[in-house]
Amino acid sequence: MPVISAPDAAIRDVVRTIATNPAMLFDSATYSQRRRTLAAKVGGGLIILPGNSGAPANYPSNCYTFRQDSTFRYYFGLNQESLTGIIDADSGREWLLGDDIDIDDIIWTGFVPSVADLAAQSGVAFSAPMSKLADMVADARKAGRQIHFLPPYRHDTMIAIADLMGIHPLQTAAAASVPLIKAVVEMRSVKTDAEVCEIERAMHIGYLMHTAAMKACRPGVTEKSIEGLMEGIAMTYGQMVSFRSIVTMHGEIFHGSPSLDELEAGRLLLVDAGAETVEGYCSDNTRTMPVSGRFSSRQRDIYSIVCDCHDLTIEKARPGLKWMDMHLDVCRLMTERLKDLGLMKGNTDDAVAAGAHAMFLQHGLGHMMGMDVHDMENLGQKYVGFNEEVQPSDQFGTNCLRCGRRLEKGFVMTDEPGIYFIPALIDQWRAEGRCGEFLNWDRIEEYRSFGGIRIEDDILITSDGCRVLGRERIPYRPREVEEFMAASEQ
């Protein structure tokens, strides 16, 4: 197994940043300006932005690793538990609400700055105990003012909002403020240079994770051991993984959890994993590698199609292009190449229009990424990835596309085409006679136990195109993968 080395210069930069300012990535002026811009975009009313609290794993004092709400952190910069930010969009006044800890807490957790000190760090003029929140909301409602909050995704936040608003917890998502959602999406979608720099740090950690997985990939090693290796790297150099790592010989299962199964010669291993920096920015990459170190001819054929689809996105993505159109361009290229292998047939445009390609690609080309690995997905994909011009599709496969809108400079997107052979889907479509004019069932049956292949990188939309993020490239072309794996055995 590879040895985890001491942090390099890029990681040490992060450590120095934290040591200098343990609370925030940017200076207080940045967060103050973000809040002023948000208030102006919302236009009026009281904006409530709750942070997250600890989430018990099995009893109250044994919690999962704390993860701050991304929107709260974007506007206040603070990574402490149990805080709520308030912005009065009419008067411009701001509060940070929370309860100071006492000596009993300090014994167990150490010193934590007072809420007043945290407010000052964030450039917030006023602070108060959390009990003040109910009074503030009650006064605003009595005055007929609009209360703005985002759709809650944690049940404790759901209950807290429900109590404040006098509604059932299950009604909180529907009662969320659309003006606030749209304002947050507009601001968070476009990444600043400083944010891109932080994402690049996450990419570097992701590079260390994925190359370690490639070096470890050999018969007899378990899927879970590779997961553990990558998670250790993520925690050593950053905060944690940006999502539960997918490490599986069953690449046709999109979110395949790592098992204790040993890797088998002749199989493919799909690894979809990313890192999150201590400041909450993410990476997300996927690589598919041959356990034996070399692709079989059949594996290379399918892999090369996915590789070319991945490269097509990098070649064509640019501001003004609809991501929906980019997705369909990839589907057309994939269909053409699958026809060359005898797996598909007929007119390519007709096949894609009918959704026949979804026998092999059942998810979208990619999603936004930033402080969340699926950036802002908690706010609703109809607001994040779509708009009045481009609406979500209801066609199988394309309905899983998480973004279809026109790209803008500063967007960070994942580029992750794949080809999958899912036995249950093959059986269902064949029994239904679905898209039979475009699919060669006997040929498809030969690939029934093939599994799946996905290649994923993260791209930044620039003024005239895009660039792949990360100063190092995780090997992904077939020969590069084979050469890297061979070198790691020496």
Side-chain angles (χ1 to χ4, degrees):
M1 287 292 184
V3 176
I4 299 175
S5 60
D8 65 10
I11 302 302
R12 287 197 297 271
D13 287 345
V14 179
V15 175
R16 279 195 293 268
T17 298
I18 299 163
T20 304
N21 186 348
M24 302 186 298
L25 176 60
F26 306 113
D27 59 28
S28 61
T30 298
Y31 297 105
S32 293
Q33 182 58 56
R34 285 177 176 176
R35 295 191 296 269
R36 286 194 295 270
T37 301
L38 180 67
K41 289 182 180 296
V42 171
L46 196 68
I47 299 171
I48 305 173
L49 295 176
N52 282 337
S53 298
N58 52 1
Y59 56 88
S61 61
N62 184 30
C63 292
Y64 294 104
T65 300
F66 176 68
R67 206 321 182 150
Q68 184 61 280
D69 176 79
S70 295
T71 300
F72 175 85
R73 197 168 188 182
Y74 181 83
Y75 289 105
F76 290 88
L78 300 169
N79 197 35
Q80 279 75 17
E81 299 180 15
S82 305
L83 299 171
T84 291
I86 301 292
I87 305 170
D88 189 318
D90 295 302
S91 69
R93 297 181 75 181
E94 301 169 343
W95 291 264
L96 184 69
L97 305 183
D99 297 321
D100 292 333
I101 66 172
D102 57 24
I103 191 62
D104 291 333
D105 296 313
I106 292 173
I107 289 170
W108 293 99
T109 64
F111 175 76
V112 175
S114 68
V115 175
D117 287 342
L118 292 171
Q121 289 181 30
S122 190
V124 176
F126 303 99
S127 63
M130 191 62 76
S131 59
K132 179 70 172 175
L133 178 58
D135 294 336
M136 296 174 71
V137 172
D139 289 344
R141 292 181 65 195
K142 192 177 300 183
R145 301 180 65 201
Q146 187 168 1
I147 309 297
H148 301 278
F149 57 88
L150 298 172
Y153 54 90
R154 287 193 173 191
H155 286 90
D156 56 344
T157 307
M158 212 178 282
I159 293 169
I161 293 291
D163 286 346
L164 290 170
M165 301 301 296
I167 59 178
H168 191 279
L170 297 181
Q171 295 175 322
T172 52
S177 167
V178 173
L180 179 59
I181 292 171
K182 290 184 174 180
V184 170
V185 169
E186 182 182 348
M187 294 180 67
R188 285 183 56 190
S189 292
V190 177
K191 277 43 176 197
T192 64
D193 291 344
E195 288 181 286
V196 172
C197 181
E198 191 64 18
I199 293 172
E200 297 269 24
R201 296 184 196 276
M203 300 302 302
H204 177 63
I205 304 171
Y207 170 83
L208 298 176
M209 293 167 61
H210 278 273
T211 52
M214 280 189 179
K215 292 173 183 177
C217 179
R218 60 179 63 92
V221 174
T222 67
E223 294 173 353
K224 282 191 72 65
S225 69
I226 292 179
E227 177 196 25
L229 174 64
M230 291 193 300
E231 185 164 347
I233 293 171
M235 294 177 69
T236 298
Y237 297 149
Q239 169 72 4
M240 56 185 178
V241 291
S242 52
F243 58 97
R244 172 75 189 275
S245 298
I246 300 165
V247 184
T248 180
M249 290 180 287
H250 287 281
E252 76 280 7
I253 302 174
F254 294 163
H255 289 176
S257 296
S259 71
L260 288 171
D261 292 344
E262 294 184 354
L263 304 188
E264 301 172 10
R267 301 281 296 273
L268 294 169
L269 179 70
L270 188 150
V271 177
D272 187 343
E276 182 175 299
T277 70
V278 291
E279 298 298 348
Y281 285 81
C282 299
S283 70
D284 184 6
N285 294 98
T286 305
R287 293 295 185 265
T288 308
M289 61 207 76
V291 175
S292 300
R294 295 188 65 85
F295 294 101
S296 69
S297 59
R298 177 172 287 185
Q299 289 169 348
R300 183 179 290 267
D301 286 342
I302 299 298
Y303 190 99
S304 295
I305 297 174
V306 178
C307 189
D308 289 346
C309 290
H310 165 277
D311 290 352
L312 178 68
T313 304
I314 296 170
E315 175 189 337
K316 297 191 67 171
R318 64 189 186 279
L321 175 73
K322 293 179 186 176
W323 192 246
M324 175 74 80
D325 291 342
M326 186 72 257
H327 171 80
L328 295 175
D329 282 348
V330 163
C331 294
R332 281 186 280 269
L333 174 61
M334 185 178 294
T335 298
E336 281 290 326
R337 296 288 298 278
L338 289 170
K339 285 165 57 178
D340 293 340
L341 294 181
L343 289 158
M344 295 189 72
K345 60 186 178 180
N347 179 271
T348 294
D349 290 339
D350 292 343
V352 172
H357 62 280
M359 168 53 59
F360 309 98
L361 175 61
Q362 301 85 16
H363 61 72
L365 176 61
H367 50 80
M368 286 189 175
M369 193 188 74
M371 294 186 79
D372 308 303
V373 70
H374 285 187
D375 212 22
M376 300 175 287
E377 192 159 308
N378 60 299
L379 303 183
Q381 285 304 134
K382 67 178 181 179
Y383 299 115
V384 177
F386 298 89
N387 53 25
E388 291 77 8
E389 180 188 19
V390 184
Q391 291 292 302
S393 170
D394 59 3
Q395 184 186 68
F396 177 79
T398 310
N399 62 349
C400 291
L401 181 63
R402 289 184 167 91
C403 180
R405 61 188 283 199
R406 293 186 188 274
L407 301 175
E408 297 179 24
K409 179 183 176 182
F411 282 15
V412 172
M413 306 293 299
T414 64
D415 167 20
E416 50 179 311
I419 292 178
Y420 313 91
F421 295 86
I422 303 174
L425 187 65
I426 294 170
D427 292 342
Q428 179 180 328
W429 279 32
R430 189 169 193 176
E432 294 173 351
R434 184 170 178 174
C435 295
E437 64 270 38
F438 303 113
L439 301 169
N440 286 321
W441 293 115
D442 291 343
R443 180 67 169 154
I444 291 170
E445 194 65 33
E446 297 174 14
Y447 288 74
R448 184 180 187 86
S449 61
F450 182 92
I453 291 172
R454 180 164 66 254
I455 303 171
E456 178 183 14
D457 281 307
D458 307 323
I459 61 174
L460 170 69
I461 306 303
T462 61
S463 58
D464 58 358
C466 75
R467 73 174 177 90
V468 179
L469 292 171
R471 72 176 190 225
E472 309 105 332
R473 294 298 298 276
I474 307 165
Y476 77 95
R477 292 189 173 91
R479 180 176 295 180
E480 293 173 347
V481 172
E482 290 176 342
E483 290 177 351
F484 186 90
M485 294 180 72
S488 68
E489 295 178 357
Q490 298 174 358

